Amino acid sequence: MEKSVVTKSAELPLSSSATVDADAVVLYLTEARYPSESSDILKRAIRRKAAVCVVRDGVLYVQKKKKDNSVNIFELRFVRTREEQVKILAACHLDPTAGHMGEK
């Protein structure tokens, strides 16, 4: 599987009007439980989002299919903090080996 890195806020978009906290998805995937005081609607939303996510070494990845509908799946790393975002962007743009290497 290919891995890509994207920056996101601390919430996973569920639909245009609802979001699920990333920590709730990680809790569900790693410990098979919900945050305390979760409503039935929130539990359903967590399960739905967890169905397309995976946790490896404590890092949350969202799995996506390629647009050409092939069987290939790629993973987007969920970036939780602003500090992580800055570190990744700096590595991609400021490092001497960073850049598009002549691609337009």
Side-chain angles (χ1 to χ4, degrees), residues 28-80:
Y28 180 77
L29 289 171
T30 58
E31 299 180 23
R33 65 184 183 93
Y34 302 100
S36 59
E37 306 296 323
S38 294
S39 67
D40 289 342
I41 293 171
L42 181 58
K43 288 177 183 177
R44 188 172 348 159
I46 292 168
R47 287 192 305 271
R48 191 174 336 142
K49 186 46 80 174
V52 296
C53 294
V54 65
V55 176
R56 282 196 203 91
D57 298 323
V59 178
L60 181 64
Y61 294 91
V62 179
Q63 297 178 327
K64 301 274 186 174
K65 286 186 178 180
K66 294 200 175 204
K67 288 185 179 184
D68 62 5
N69 291 324
S70 65
V71 293
N72 296 326
I73 295 175
F74 64 97
E75 294 178 346
L76 303 173
R77 179 179 169 196
F78 186 80
V79 180
R80 293 175 181 232

Side-chain angles (χ1 to χ4, degrees), residues 78-103:
F78 186 80
V79 180
R80 293 175 181 232
T81 65
R82 183 74 178 150
E83 291 77 26
E84 274 186 288
Q85 291 175 359
V86 170
K87 182 179 174 183
I88 291 168
L89 288 172
C92 293
H93 293 275
L94 301 178
D95 191 87
T97 61
H100 300 285
M101 303 298 182
E103 293 181 24

